[in-house]
mmCIF file of all heavy atoms in Angstrom:
data_model
loop_
_atom_site.group_PDB
_atom_site.id
_atom_site.type_symbol
_atom_site.label_atom_id
_atom_site.label_comp_id
_atom_site.label_asym_id
_atom_site.label_seq_id
_atom_site.Cartn_x
_atom_site.Cartn_y
_atom_site.Cartn_z
ATOM 1 N N ASN B 912 -2.821 -8.395 12.848
ATOM 2 C CA ASN B 912 -1.739 -7.952 13.743
ATOM 3 C C ASN B 912 -1.888 -6.483 14.123
ATOM 4 O O ASN B 912 -0.905 -5.764 14.287
ATOM 5 C CB ASN B 912 -0.368 -8.230 13.122
ATOM 6 C CG ASN B 912 -0.147 -9.711 12.930
ATOM 7 O OD1 ASN B 912 -0.179 -10.471 13.891
ATOM 8 N ND2 ASN B 912 0.038 -10.122 11.690
ATOM 9 N N TYR B 913 -3.129 -6.069 14.318
ATOM 10 C CA TYR B 913 -3.405 -4.664 14.623
ATOM 11 C C TYR B 913 -2.883 -4.255 15.997
ATOM 12 O O TYR B 913 -2.650 -3.069 16.240
ATOM 13 C CB TYR B 913 -4.896 -4.366 14.492
ATOM 14 C CG TYR B 913 -5.205 -2.912 14.310
ATOM 15 C CD1 TYR B 913 -4.889 -2.264 13.122
ATOM 16 C CD2 TYR B 913 -5.793 -2.169 15.324
ATOM 17 C CE1 TYR B 913 -5.169 -0.909 12.945
ATOM 18 C CE2 TYR B 913 -6.072 -0.817 15.157
ATOM 19 C CZ TYR B 913 -5.756 -0.193 13.963
ATOM 20 O OH TYR B 913 -6.023 1.149 13.793
ATOM 21 N N ALA B 914 -2.648 -5.211 16.873
ATOM 22 C CA ALA B 914 -2.087 -4.899 18.188
ATOM 23 C C ALA B 914 -0.695 -4.289 18.061
ATOM 24 O O ALA B 914 -0.225 -3.618 18.974
ATOM 25 C CB ALA B 914 -2.044 -6.147 19.062
ATOM 26 N N GLU B 915 -0.036 -4.495 16.912
ATOM 27 C CA GLU B 915 1.314 -3.978 16.677
ATOM 28 C C GLU B 915 1.328 -2.694 15.852
ATOM 29 O O GLU B 915 2.396 -2.204 15.488
ATOM 30 C CB GLU B 915 2.160 -5.030 15.955
ATOM 31 C CG GLU B 915 2.366 -6.317 16.727
ATOM 32 C CD GLU B 915 3.230 -7.306 15.961
ATOM 33 O OE1 GLU B 915 4.271 -6.895 15.407
ATOM 34 O OE2 GLU B 915 2.851 -8.489 15.903
ATOM 35 N N THR B 916 0.171 -2.148 15.541
ATOM 36 C CA THR B 916 0.126 -1.016 14.607
ATOM 37 C C THR B 916 0.918 0.195 15.092
ATOM 38 O O THR B 916 1.001 0.471 16.287
ATOM 39 C CB THR B 916 -1.325 -0.602 14.284
ATOM 40 O OG1 THR B 916 -1.288 0.245 13.141
ATOM 41 C CG2 THR B 916 -1.985 0.131 15.431
ATOM 42 N N VAL B 917 1.501 0.886 14.138
ATOM 43 C CA VAL B 917 2.125 2.188 14.384
ATOM 44 C C VAL B 917 1.381 3.264 13.587
ATOM 45 O O VAL B 917 1.728 4.434 13.659
ATOM 46 C CB VAL B 917 3.632 2.196 14.016
ATOM 47 C CG1 VAL B 917 4.396 1.230 14.893
ATOM 48 C CG2 VAL B 917 3.848 1.905 12.539
ATOM 49 N N LEU B 918 0.384 2.834 12.818
ATOM 50 C CA LEU B 918 -0.425 3.740 12.008
ATOM 51 C C LEU B 918 -1.892 3.370 12.187
ATOM 52 O O LEU B 918 -2.448 2.603 11.401
ATOM 53 C CB LEU B 918 -0.037 3.653 10.528
ATOM 54 C CG LEU B 918 -0.816 4.546 9.566
ATOM 55 C CD1 LEU B 918 -0.546 6.023 9.846
ATOM 56 C CD2 LEU B 918 -0.462 4.207 8.129
ATOM 57 N N PRO B 919 -2.538 3.871 13.224
ATOM 58 C CA PRO B 919 -3.958 3.571 13.411
ATOM 59 C C PRO B 919 -4.767 4.010 12.187
ATOM 60 O O PRO B 919 -4.532 5.089 11.633
ATOM 61 C CB PRO B 919 -4.340 4.377 14.648
ATOM 62 C CG PRO B 919 -3.047 4.592 15.367
ATOM 63 C CD PRO B 919 -2.003 4.721 14.290
ATOM 64 N N MET B 920 -5.680 3.152 11.768
ATOM 65 C CA MET B 920 -6.496 3.426 10.584
ATOM 66 C C MET B 920 -7.967 3.277 10.952
ATOM 67 O O MET B 920 -8.380 2.204 11.373
ATOM 68 C CB MET B 920 -6.106 2.469 9.453
ATOM 69 C CG MET B 920 -4.650 2.609 9.023
ATOM 70 S SD MET B 920 -4.082 1.320 7.892
ATOM 71 C CE MET B 920 -4.870 1.828 6.383
ATOM 72 N N LYS B 921 -8.721 4.326 10.778
ATOM 73 C CA LYS B 921 -10.153 4.295 11.077
ATOM 74 C C LYS B 921 -10.914 4.171 9.758
ATOM 75 O O LYS B 921 -11.228 5.175 9.117
ATOM 76 C CB LYS B 921 -10.549 5.544 11.849
ATOM 77 C CG LYS B 921 -9.890 5.607 13.219
ATOM 78 C CD LYS B 921 -10.420 6.756 14.028
ATOM 79 C CE LYS B 921 -9.685 6.873 15.325
ATOM 80 N NZ LYS B 921 -10.125 6.012 16.369
ATOM 81 N N ASP B 922 -11.156 2.921 9.367
ATOM 82 C CA ASP B 922 -11.816 2.661 8.095
ATOM 83 C C ASP B 922 -13.020 1.743 8.228
ATOM 84 O O ASP B 922 -13.618 1.356 7.227
ATOM 85 C CB ASP B 922 -10.820 2.082 7.086
ATOM 86 C CG ASP B 922 -10.144 0.814 7.581
ATOM 87 O OD1 ASP B 922 -10.555 0.255 8.617
ATOM 88 O OD2 ASP B 922 -9.182 0.380 6.924
ATOM 89 N N GLY B 923 -13.362 1.354 9.458
ATOM 90 C CA GLY B 923 -14.522 0.508 9.683
ATOM 91 C C GLY B 923 -14.295 -0.977 9.439
ATOM 92 O O GLY B 923 -15.189 -1.781 9.668
ATOM 93 N N LEU B 924 -13.114 -1.356 8.977
ATOM 94 C CA LEU B 924 -12.818 -2.768 8.746
ATOM 95 C C LEU B 924 -12.502 -3.465 10.067
ATOM 96 O O LEU B 924 -12.024 -2.829 11.009
ATOM 97 C CB LEU B 924 -11.614 -2.921 7.804
ATOM 98 C CG LEU B 924 -11.802 -2.426 6.377
ATOM 99 C CD1 LEU B 924 -10.487 -2.521 5.612
ATOM 100 C CD2 LEU B 924 -12.883 -3.211 5.675
ATOM 101 N N PRO B 925 -12.719 -4.789 10.139
ATOM 102 C CA PRO B 925 -12.359 -5.520 11.353
ATOM 103 C C PRO B 925 -10.859 -5.408 11.622
ATOM 104 O O PRO B 925 -10.043 -5.471 10.700
ATOM 105 C CB PRO B 925 -12.740 -6.968 11.030
ATOM 106 C CG PRO B 925 -13.669 -6.894 9.876
ATOM 107 C CD PRO B 925 -13.326 -5.642 9.126
#
Side-chain angles (χ1 to χ4, degrees):
N912 297 301
Y913 200 71
E915 298 181 45
T916 195
V917 297
L918 180 65
M920 299 170 75
K921 295 187 185 278
D922 57 10
L924 295 175

